Amino acid sequence: ELKVEQNPLFLSMQEGKNYTIYCNYSTTSDRLYWYRQDPGKSLESLFVLLSNGAVKQEGRLMASLDTKARLSTLHITAAVHDLSATYFCAVQETSGSRLTFGEGTQLTVNP
Amino acid sequence: DTAVSQTPKYLVTQMGNDKSIKCEQNLGHDTMYWYKQDSKKFLKIMFSYNNKELIINETVPNRFSPKSPDKAHLNLHINSLELGDSAVYFCASSQLAGEQFFGPGTRLTVL
């Protein structure tokens, strides 16, 4: 059974600081997704990582995938308050469409 | 213009009642999903249909029954509702095993 673990689960950081959220998973996969969820809202797709070594950047967020280490990272650069949300990684099985989600990282960016 | 829509957005009901949630996507996707997000924000897949055929059927109580009348619609019927069914239910769709797009969610409260 595929297991996905995120850490930290809660992250409180100051504006302007950098930090990284980690997503580890237990079985072989080369498809990983990052989603953002604001309170009471749906999941918004941030990044789709489809191969080993994939790196994608959007604004202050950068995601990477290391399939050999079974690890993805979401790096936050110079955080701003608008980034406050819950971030989920989700790993897709090599065969099939099933997504297994991590527990989510609740990020709070303080002024 | 909404890509994946769900109705209703909120559903408050008494224990023992039967209720349905509807989902529609206009993305032309062939695969649709139901996810449950519990009070700790943990997301878990429940069902998936591909072209009206059930392809993922997780271990959920058989009080939950999905139905897909066509590939653009996926409904979820719940019999004999219990307190523990209170959660947010998300519908999603994708093209085959591609990126999944989520609906706005239905917050179910069982009293």
Side-chain angles (χ1 to χ4, degrees), chain B residues 49-82:
Chain B
Y49 272 77
N50 175 266
N51 276 324
K52 303 194 292 175
E53 180 185 348
L54 183 65
I55 58 170
I56 296 175
N57 187 0
E58 290 294 289
T59 308
V60 298
N62 58 15
R63 298 180 294 102
F64 290 79
S65 53
K67 279 192 172 54
S68 181
D70 56 59
K71 72 175 191 176
H73 296 84
L74 179 61
N75 304 323
L76 183 65
H77 188 74
I78 316 169
N79 289 326
S80 303
L81 278 154
E82 300 179 357

Side-chain angles (χ1 to χ4, degrees), chain A residues 35 37 42 45 92 97-98, chain B residues 37 41 58 97 99-100 103:
Chain A
Y35 289 90
Q37 186 178 36
S42 184
S45 178
Q92 193 160 38
S97 57
R98 183 192 308 269
Chain B
Q37 186 171 43
K41 296 191 179 177
E58 290 294 289
E99 184 181 1
Q100 295 182 22

